[in-house]
Amino acid sequence: MHIHVVPNRGSPPTVLLRESYREGHKVCKRTLANLSSLSAAQIAAMRAALRDEAWPPVAQSFEITASPAHGHAQAVALAMQRVGFASLIASKPCRECDVVLAMVAARILAPHPKLAARHLSAGGLVLYDLSSSYVEGTTCPLARLGYSRDGTKGLLQGQLRLAHRWARLPGGGVGV
């Protein structure tokens, strides 16, 4: 393979990636790709790659402009792995287990979520609602056997929790 530059009268030249092959005694060329849209530096890099020239180390090719901290997240993940925290959540690996582990790790790393500061204020009123319902079948990963507030026995239960924020209005009233 080689790079072939074809001049174009008043236009920029066409740059082609070509391959040479023989048909009997005749040498033929096959065009594999049109590289005209690439920059001169990219074409030079492709030429160097086709010639098996040595590449500079990757570290010299890039400049690090920003690097967000990740050590604390890695430390929490490693600690959770060492104590076998995933086995407390589920008996075998699954997507739901991964989501729960991520939520726990996020809570450890940032214990004061931004939403609490935005939606709750000192002296505010929060109402909490708990609803439960029995589940037909046995494949729901969120349902568990437990106390049935509905009075049905021996069936899996699913629970839904809702928190409502209420604000005290001037004059003593309450609004959503």
Side-chain angles (χ1 to χ4, degrees):
M1 278 191 279
H2 63 279
I3 294 179
H4 187 88
V5 179
V6 181
N8 273 340
R9 296 180 191 162
S11 301
T14 302
V15 182
L16 303 172
L17 176 64
R18 287 195 164 172
E19 176 182 52
S20 298
Y21 64 98
R22 287 190 175 270
E23 284 184 358
H25 295 293
K26 187 177 178 185
V27 176
C28 301
K29 292 180 184 177
R30 177 182 315 146
T31 300
L32 301 174
N34 185 343
L35 307 176
S36 300
S37 63
L38 299 179
S39 69
Q42 290 171 321
I43 293 170
M46 289 192 70
R47 271 200 177 113
L50 290 172
R51 292 181 188 147
D52 278 337
E53 293 178 3
W55 287 77
V58 176
Q60 292 178 1
S61 301
F62 293 98
E63 177 186 344
I64 298 173
T65 57
S67 178
H70 71 280
H72 59 297
Q74 187 175 8
V76 169
L78 184 61
M80 291 170 75
Q81 181 184 7
R82 284 184 180 167
V83 299
F85 192 68
S87 64
L88 296 174
I89 307 297
S91 59
K92 59 182 179 180
C94 61
R95 183 182 183 282
E96 290 85 4
C97 180
D98 293 340
V99 170
V100 170
L101 291 173
M103 290 175 13
V104 170
R107 191 68 174 167
I108 292 169
L109 294 169
H112 304 291
K114 292 182 236 173
L115 290 176
R118 189 168 123 196
H119 294 292
L120 299 177
S121 59
L125 178 66
V126 175
L127 298 179
Y128 186 84
D129 182 31
L130 171 65
S131 298
S132 65
S133 178
Y134 70 92
V135 178
E136 298 284 339
T138 59
T139 59
C140 179
L142 302 176
R144 299 284 182 256
L145 282 174
Y147 173 73
S148 172
R149 294 178 1 165
D150 300 333
T152 56
K153 296 184 184 207
L155 293 175
L156 297 176
Q157 297 290 314
Q159 294 184 347
L160 174 67
R161 295 176 175 93
L162 296 174
H164 303 281
R165 179 183 62 92
W166 294 79
R168 295 193 189 278
L169 299 175
V174 178
V176 179

